[in-house]
């Protein structure tokens, strides 16, 4: 359906669109928005349970999130209170994206929450402006909120960009996480977060620890977020990700005073945090591979936990082919806490921490603090790894055995096994396209209006049984440079 010609949406931003979309939504429908500015004064609620699409023109051929402009689809969020712009029910299949959410008005929030009980994809969404709502308590919705309901469900958020989730220090007042992954009840499927860019949040960049879902963080950049850049549980996979703490070069919003903050600056921050606060199925541990983790600067040294912080509730972790750069004084690069030593139960054994084929470097990596500190985790080991900084020595590894470790500026025969794959620039190969079939209601039809024709949109063909609906995973992104372009 053409949002303008068929559903009567105003592309000039004068009339709100949410009621037109919510009331017209039905199984098997795909709404295509031509370029323009569309006003939203309340949520768009999609209550169907089969298949649905909500995309900007050109979705199928898009390779990056659009920027605001006359050739883009822009949803303008009207100020006046918290607003989770797009709220989608549990779908069997669907696709959403190729649009901009403009939340530059005061007191706005343009989040996208989508639930999947089958196979759903959300990609190429850019938010501009910072979230400035004032909801009480620690319950602010994330910018991007995936839900995978059911053990076979899959939801993918890919190439989604958000840069600004509130004033630093405001997590428990009105700050938002970038990507919010919750849901601990019942069986949960798989959530893939691929090549996303999340910066300047007043809460975690990814809050993916308190969920039963299998969280896969693949590629992307997470920088200068409060609490943690990436926070996941023991069922997670973290691969090919750039994680950066550089608070002195923070580019998000700031308050004129500290009246609404819990103190100046960041309350606390970590690079990667791993914890487990519910039963998990994995016993082999969390693999962290091909990552680039950088600690460059902080507002206060006391506000930093660690570049990699494995909590007392976290299970086994294996860090491989990863580069850790630590230029923050008084900060340990890798900390693995003693299991069960805090207020949360320990994860199931094993609890081992393994660092292999990696490099730890930086002018503060071993300056008055160890490079690796492991507590109460037998059989932990650092192997085939280079501690590449002045005066590095065996005393910079505490609580873990060593094998094939080299020290100093010139490490020999140790370190990264594949430097080209470290970080999002050397991203993983694309995921295979999953096989999807489902049933849905509605009348078989084909929509061939000008907007769909122009963008060569492929429209769902729906009957008593849907002929086919395939969600394809894109190849690795060409690089972050084009994605990171200015708002």
């Amino acid at each position: 359906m053409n949002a303008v010609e068929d559903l009567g949406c105003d592309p000039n931003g004068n009339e709100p669109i949410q009621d037109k979309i919510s009331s017209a939504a039905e199984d098997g429908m795909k709404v295509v928005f031509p370029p323009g500015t569309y006003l939203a004064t309340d949520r768009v609620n999609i209550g169907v349970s089969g298949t649905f699409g909500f995309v900007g023109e050109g979705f199928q051929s898009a390779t990056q999130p659009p920027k605001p402009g006359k050739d883009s689809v822009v949803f303008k969020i009207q100020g006046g209170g918290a607003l989770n712009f797009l709220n989608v029910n549990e779908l069997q299949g669907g696709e959403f994206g190729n649009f901009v959410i403009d939340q530059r008005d005061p007191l706005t929030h343009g989040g996208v929450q989508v639930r999947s009980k089958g196979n759903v994809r959300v990609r190429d969404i850019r938010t501009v402006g910072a979230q400035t709502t004032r909801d009480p308590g620690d319950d602010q919705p994330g910018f991007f909120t995936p839900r995978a309901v059911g053990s076979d469900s899959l939801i993918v958020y890919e190439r989604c960009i958000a840069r600004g989730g509130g004033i630093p220090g405001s997590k428990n007042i009105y700050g938002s996480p970038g990507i919010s992954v919750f849901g601990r009840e019942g069986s949960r499927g798989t959530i893939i977060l691929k090549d996303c860019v999340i910066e300047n949040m007043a809460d975690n960049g990814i809050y993916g620890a308190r969920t039963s879902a299998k969280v896969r963080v693949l590629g992307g950049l997470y920088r200068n977020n409060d609490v943690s850049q990436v926070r996941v549980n023991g069922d997670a996979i973290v691969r090919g990700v750039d994680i950066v703490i550089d608070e002195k070069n923070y580019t998000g919003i700031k308050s004129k005073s500290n009246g609404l903050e819990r103190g100046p600056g960041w309350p606390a921050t970590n690079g990667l945090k791993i914890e487990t606060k519910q039963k998990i199925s994995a016993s082999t541990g969390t693999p962290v591979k091909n990552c680039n983790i950088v600690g460059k600067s902080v507002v206060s040294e006391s506000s930093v936990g660690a570049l990699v912080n494995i909590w007392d509730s976290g299970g086994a972790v294996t860090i491989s082919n990863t580069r850790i750069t630590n230029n923050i004084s008084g900060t340990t690069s890798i900390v693995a806490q003693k299991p069960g030593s805090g207020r949360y139960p320990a994860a199931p054994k094993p609890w081992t921490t393994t660092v292999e084929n990696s490099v730890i470097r930086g002018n503060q990596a071993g300056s008055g603090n160890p490079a690796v500190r492991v507590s109460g985790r037998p059989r932990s080991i650092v192997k085939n790894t280079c501690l590449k900084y002045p005066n590095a020595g065996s005393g910079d590894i505490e609580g873990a055995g060593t094998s094939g470790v080299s020290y100093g500026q010139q490490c020999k025969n140790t370190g990264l096994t594949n430097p080209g794959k470290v970080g999002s620039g050397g991203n993983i190969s694309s995921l295979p396209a999953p096989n999807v079939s489902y049933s849905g209601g509605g009348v078989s039809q084909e929509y061939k209006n000008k907007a769909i024709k122009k963008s060569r949109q492929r429209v769902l063909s729906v009957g008593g049984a849907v002929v086919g609906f395939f969600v394809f995973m894109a190849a690795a992104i060409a690089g972050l440079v084009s994605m990171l372009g200015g708002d």
Side-chain angles (χ1 to χ4, degrees):
M1 303 292 285
N2 184 298
V4 176
E5 295 181 8
D6 296 328
L7 301 182
C9 293
D10 176 12
N12 299 309
N14 297 316
E15 298 289 333
I17 57 102
Q18 67 270 0
D19 291 343
K20 289 181 170 59
I21 302 299
S22 298
S23 62
E26 61 181 43
D27 281 351
M29 179 183 288
K30 184 178 189 178
V31 181
V32 179
F33 288 84
T37 298
Y38 300 87
L39 177 66
T41 60
D42 205 342
R43 291 187 180 191
V44 176
N45 291 310
I46 307 300
V48 302
S49 59
T51 64
F52 194 82
F54 182 101
V55 300
E57 184 180 304
F59 173 84
Q60 298 293 350
S61 58
T63 59
Q64 62 180 354
K67 298 178 183 179
K70 64 180 182 179
D71 296 326
S72 302
V73 174
V74 178
F75 293 103
K76 176 71 174 176
I77 311 301
Q78 188 177 76
L83 171 63
N84 205 24
F85 164 62
L86 188 57
N87 185 49
V88 182
N89 199 12
E90 298 170 9
L91 293 175
Q92 279 295 122
E95 51 191 20
F96 302 82
N98 198 34
F99 54 77
V100 176
I101 297 175
D102 184 345
Q103 55 177 19
R104 285 178 285 192
D105 279 359
L107 303 179
T108 58
H109 183 210
V112 176
Q113 177 172 262
V114 181
R115 303 170 184 85
S116 170
K117 59 181 178 181
N119 189 336
V120 177
R121 184 174 182 186
V122 181
R123 68 169 168 84
D124 293 324
I125 299 175
R126 183 190 298 266
T127 70
V128 294
Q131 183 274 105
T132 53
T133 55
R134 298 289 196 275
D135 274 3
D138 187 13
D139 194 28
Q140 196 72 287
F143 277 53
F144 304 114
T145 307
R147 299 283 188 269
V149 183
S151 58
D152 295 327
S153 60
L154 170 68
I155 186 164
V156 181
Y157 272 59
E158 181 176 10
R159 297 197 302 260
C160 292
I161 293 180
R163 292 185 170 119
I167 297 169
S170 65
K171 174 184 184 294
N172 293 321
I173 306 174
Y174 48 80
S176 286
I179 301 176
S180 177
V181 184
F182 282 85
R184 286 171 278 188
E185 69 283 359
S187 60
R188 284 293 182 269
T190 300
I191 295 171
I192 295 175
L193 309 172
K194 188 170 186 288
D195 301 328
C196 295
V197 178
I198 305 294
E199 299 184 89
N200 305 331
M201 296 293 144
D203 202 330
N204 297 272
I206 295 177
Y207 203 157
R210 303 184 185 187
T211 178
S212 303
K214 299 174 182 177
V215 179
R216 310 297 186 234
V217 185
L218 310 177
L221 170 66
Y222 300 85
R223 178 166 53 192
N224 282 348
N225 302 295
D226 270 4
V227 189
S228 301
Q229 312 312 307
V230 176
R231 182 175 180 175
V232 292
N233 67 14
D235 265 343
I237 291 173
V238 182
R239 188 163 53 184
V241 180
D242 281 303
I243 292 173
V244 181
I245 301 172
D246 188 11
E247 294 175 355
K248 291 184 179 178
N249 291 301
Y250 169 78
T251 57
I253 61 172
K254 300 176 183 178
S255 65
K256 293 181 180 179
S257 70
N258 294 323
L260 293 175
E261 300 176 37
R262 301 288 178 90
W266 278 252
T269 193
N270 301 272
L272 170 64
K273 181 186 289 183
I274 298 170
E275 61 176 315
T276 302
K277 294 183 181 176
Q278 68 286 317
K279 292 181 179 179
I280 61 173
S281 60
S283 60
T284 55
T286 305
V288 178
K289 187 175 183 179
N290 300 343
C291 291
N292 181 42
I293 303 174
V294 179
K296 189 174 181 181
S297 69
V298 291
V299 172
S300 170
E301 292 178 13
S302 63
S303 69
V304 181
L307 300 189
V308 178
N309 195 345
I310 305 166
W311 269 21
D312 57 278
S313 62
V317 176
T318 297
I319 300 169
S320 60
N321 198 49
T322 289
R323 181 188 297 116
I324 298 175
T325 304
N326 185 356
N327 291 324
I328 301 175
S329 177
T331 299
T332 301
S333 300
I334 300 173
V335 171
Q337 301 176 16
K338 182 179 179 180
S341 60
R343 55 178 174 162
Y344 297 106
K349 290 182 178 181
W351 297 328
T352 53
T353 296
T354 300
V355 182
E356 60 185 12
N357 303 315
S358 295
V359 170
I360 301 174
R361 64 182 189 178
N363 56 32
Q364 297 296 325
S367 179
N369 53 284
V372 179
R373 178 185 287 137
V374 179
S375 301
R377 295 174 179 263
R379 295 184 295 280
S380 293
I381 190 169
V382 180
K383 58 184 180 180
N384 302 325
T385 289
C386 170
L387 272 57
K388 193 173 184 179
Y389 50 86
N391 303 315
S394 58
D396 291 340
I397 298 174
E398 296 182 0
T402 61
S403 175
V405 176
S406 293
Y407 306 94
Q409 295 285 46
Q410 303 298 324
C411 292
K412 297 180 179 179
N413 302 319
T414 59
L416 304 174
T417 54
N418 197 334
K421 283 195 172 183
V422 172
S424 55
N427 210 346
I428 60 169
S429 59
S430 59
L431 298 170
N435 233 346
V436 185
S437 62
Y438 56 84
S439 297
V443 179
S444 178
Q445 54 187 317
E446 187 174 340
Y447 305 103
K448 292 184 178 180
N449 55 51
K450 291 181 181 178
I452 296 177
K453 210 173 205 181
K454 178 181 175 184
S455 61
R456 299 179 184 178
Q457 294 286 347
R458 296 188 62 184
V459 183
L460 303 181
S461 178
V462 182
V466 177
V467 174
F469 180 81
F470 298 90
V471 179
F472 294 98
M473 303 302 299
I477 58 173
L480 280 179
V481 174
S482 59
M483 237 174 58
L484 291 174
D487 293 340

